[in-house]
Amino acid sequence: MNDYRNPPIVEAVCEFRFSSDTPWEQDLPDRFYDAVRDHFPIRESRKGQSLEIKANATGIEKHTVETVDIPVFFTKDRKMLVQLGPRALSVHCLRPYPSWEVFGPTIRRAYEIIDSLTGGIRGFDRIGLLYVDKIEIPGETVRLEDYFAFYPHLGEGLPEEVVNFMVGCDFAYNDRDICRLKLTQAMPEKQNTLAYLLSTDYFLAQKDTVRPEDACAWVEEAHIKVKALFKGCITKKLEEIFDLEE
Amino acid sequence: MTTSLPSYPFESSRKVWNFPDLPEEKASEDSWITKLRNRVNRLFRDTSASYQDAYALDAHVESPSLSYTAELSLPTLLAKLHVAIAHPAEVIDYILQNPGLGPIVMYACLLTKDEFRHDATITLDLYQDPESDDRYLTIYVRQKKYDKNILKRIDKICDEYEPALRGQSGWLLLTTDYKHPSS
């Protein structure tokens, strides 16, 4: 995703949701901070929701919602951050996206620290690699097919004037993973442009099918798939806007 | 397929809305987050839920992304309220770098709109102090003919949302610069 001089990435996220038997002690955020404070010196927290549903053969047995404090660790420039939810780790990279050569090792380091601090991750409910791209195209009217290979198709019987849309597709990989592609209109940042949000979310759809020691290899493979899918979504004309590096 | 700059014909609501999962604050009917949830629900009760399919819901149920929520939810709400964003890229970047601020911005804009209704223009912008690195979000209220009680009315709104800023990184100021609404 870093082959462009003007990349459209507004956020990249890698998230691990660990299995319920993975040990997760209360002081884990403190110990994690001690280990990462050189790279993520700013520690804050934000509120989130924890939803727990227990089901049995007759239906929902228990349903609880509680507010949780999610520790957030920022780099000095606040462009990268790590969040620790209950049995969850997410590494976020905001624009300007540096490169996979920077983001990939950061994910690996955060994962290895959690693995070591928990005494060994037992498994995964989900692993995901998500890229959110914001694409701005000059003009007051845009023919989507000129720029995208992934867009809503409208038959002849439908009106041509569209003021908003949302289109999505799930692609299956390896009998285990799904990549969810979504395209919708977004808010333009420059005058006389149209903006689109393209998100490519590659995730492990079957829990406990990746071993903890293979998690980082899974992320590397996910990155290759996401990159290929992104390339498949756009036309040469759109690549010109991103300024492809030679 | 051709898309064009959104014009929202017939003054109708946008038929798509994505909002961040607003955190619960149990046993607190008076909490700002409960008030925000109620106001958002009231505002969008006439809006078709047909877009609330798996893909729309996924935006905040499954996705860990901060930007996806901010990029889609905040502009949708502000468009509904006719609140302008002067520099969208800077405003959204600031919200992304201060997670937790997004719902407070929504709440403050809703309160401001409730107070001033059609009596003022409301603009959200990022203020950058020219003499320091200090940056914060600012909501500007501008009127064609300035009400002599405008500052009191602004203070009343500040009293409502400022407690929510405690413990958050980043800041949100509500003020007027006494400029003409068209400036």
Side-chain angles (χ1 to χ4, degrees):
Chain A
M1 306 283 281
N2 55 330
D3 301 331
Y4 307 111
R5 290 190 185 89
N6 183 25
I9 300 166
V10 289
E11 186 183 11
V13 190
C14 183
E15 186 199 42
F16 301 91
R17 294 183 198 166
F18 305 111
S19 58
S20 57
D21 58 345
T22 298
W24 202 265
E25 291 169 359
Q26 272 200 328
D27 65 346
L28 187 70
D30 297 333
R31 292 190 289 135
F32 182 80
Y33 184 51
D34 286 341
V36 301
R37 68 194 318 160
D38 286 351
H39 286 92
F40 295 92
I42 304 168
R43 180 179 176 169
E44 291 170 2
S45 74
R46 70 185 192 94
K47 282 192 189 318
Q49 270 183 317
S50 169
L51 173 68
E52 188 182 357
I53 298 172
K54 282 188 181 167
N56 59 23
T58 57
I60 304 286
E61 180 188 313
K62 191 181 163 195
H63 176 188
T64 57
V65 181
E66 60 175 325
T67 305
V68 289
D69 274 327
I70 299 174
V72 189
F73 308 92
F74 288 92
T75 51
K76 209 172 170 185
D77 64 2
R78 302 181 78 89
K79 295 291 186 187
M80 286 183 92
L81 57 127
V82 176
Q83 295 194 133
L84 287 187
R87 287 194 175 78
L89 161 75
S90 61
V91 185
H92 303 242
C93 191
L94 305 176
R95 69 178 166 190
Y97 178 69
S99 67
W100 180 248
E101 283 65 41
V102 173
F103 189 39
T106 307
I107 296 166
R108 177 182 286 271
R109 183 159 178 260
Y111 174 80
E112 286 173 350
I113 290 169
I114 288 291
D115 188 37
S116 127
L117 294 179
T118 55
I121 289 157
R122 304 284 195 270
F124 303 100
D125 287 351
R126 187 184 193 271
I127 315 174
L129 182 67
L130 166 72
Y131 279 82
V132 181
D133 296 278
K134 188 169 183 181
I135 297 161
E136 295 218 29
I137 300 173
E140 292 193 354
T141 319
V142 167
R143 261 170 51 90
L144 286 179
E145 51 269 50
D146 291 344
Y147 297 92
F148 295 96
F150 174 71
Y151 58 90
H153 168 77
L154 300 180
E156 285 178 7
L158 292 169
E160 283 199 355
E161 194 180 341
V162 174
V163 292
N164 206 349
F165 70 88
M166 177 179 280
V167 59
C169 208
D170 286 357
F171 299 95
Y173 290 89
N174 307 335
D175 292 329
R176 179 191 65 186
D177 303 330
I178 283 179
C179 192
R180 178 163 294 166
L181 198 59
K182 285 185 285 187
L183 181 69
T184 183
Q185 262 182 231
M187 187 174 60
E189 291 171 12
K190 296 174 198 145
Q191 282 202 326
N192 295 323
T193 61
L194 285 160
Y196 304 92
L197 216 56
L198 177 69
S199 72
T200 318
D201 188 6
Y202 190 98
F203 59 94
L204 178 70
Q206 285 188 38
K207 49 202 276 195
D208 289 328
T209 49
V210 169
R211 293 180 306 172
E213 59 270 33
D214 297 331
C216 291
W218 183 96
V219 173
E220 286 289 340
E221 193 187 331
H223 177 253
I224 293 167
K225 298 284 196 314
V226 166
K227 195 170 171 174
L229 208 60
F230 177 78
K231 288 246 182 196
C233 282
I234 60 173
T235 64
K236 291 273 177 209
K237 193 171 177 179
L238 187 53
E239 272 199 317
E240 284 169 17
I241 293 176
F242 305 149
D243 201 1
L244 187 66
E245 282 183 352
E246 298 302 324
Chain B
M1 180 191 157
T2 303
T3 65
S4 51
L5 287 172
S7 54
Y8 310 121
F10 322 123
E11 291 294 313
S12 65
S13 320
R14 281 177 81 173
K15 296 293 188 285
V16 56
W17 53 296
N18 303 75
F19 284 97
D21 226 0
L22 303 175
E24 292 277 355
E25 292 209 350
K26 282 189 287 188
S28 178
E29 286 297 310
D30 291 335
S31 75
W32 71 273
I33 205 79
T34 304
K35 289 177 187 170
L36 170 59
R37 182 184 295 107
N38 293 341
R39 279 167 195 266
V40 168
N41 286 340
R42 240 185 0 250
L43 189 68
F44 285 90
R45 68 185 163 200
D46 61 337
T47 304
S48 162
S50 59
Y51 273 73
Q52 287 285 41
D53 59 9
Y55 287 102
L57 283 170
D58 171 67
H60 54 268
V61 174
E62 281 289 321
S63 170
S65 167
L66 303 168
S67 61
Y68 198 80
T69 305
E71 288 275 359
L72 292 183
S73 63
L74 189 67
T76 304
L77 178 70
L78 300 191
K80 173 85 173 162
L81 293 174
H82 300 287
V83 173
I85 305 182
H87 299 93
E90 288 83 352
V91 167
I92 288 178
D93 274 353
Y94 188 81
I95 290 171
L96 296 186
Q97 289 177 41
N98 297 281
L101 209 56
I104 304 171
V105 173
M106 287 184 185
Y107 186 50
C109 287
L110 279 160
L111 291 171
T112 310
K113 190 68 189 177
D114 274 3
E115 172 65 32
F116 288 95
R117 298 184 180 273
H118 303 294
D119 204 20
T121 63
I122 303 165
T123 308
L124 176 65
D125 202 356
L126 181 69
Y127 178 78
Q128 169 82 57
D129 189 325
E131 292 177 358
S132 72
D133 288 338
D134 201 13
R135 300 185 315 152
Y136 48 85
L137 290 177
T138 305
I139 300 169
Y140 292 103
V141 178
R142 290 172 181 153
Q143 293 182 302
K144 274 186 186 167
K145 192 179 169 191
Y146 275 89
D147 170 8
K148 64 178 180 184
N149 290 321
I150 188 169
L151 291 180
K152 275 187 189 163
R153 294 169 76 186
I154 285 174
D155 284 346
K156 194 177 78 178
I157 301 166
C158 292
D159 289 345
E160 277 280 318
Y161 78 80
E162 279 187 359
L165 289 168
R166 280 183 210 133
Q168 297 285 349
S169 61
W171 191 253
L172 172 66
L173 179 73
L174 172 66
T175 188
T176 181
D177 52 10
Y178 291 103
K179 287 184 179 172
H180 190 269
S182 60
S183 59

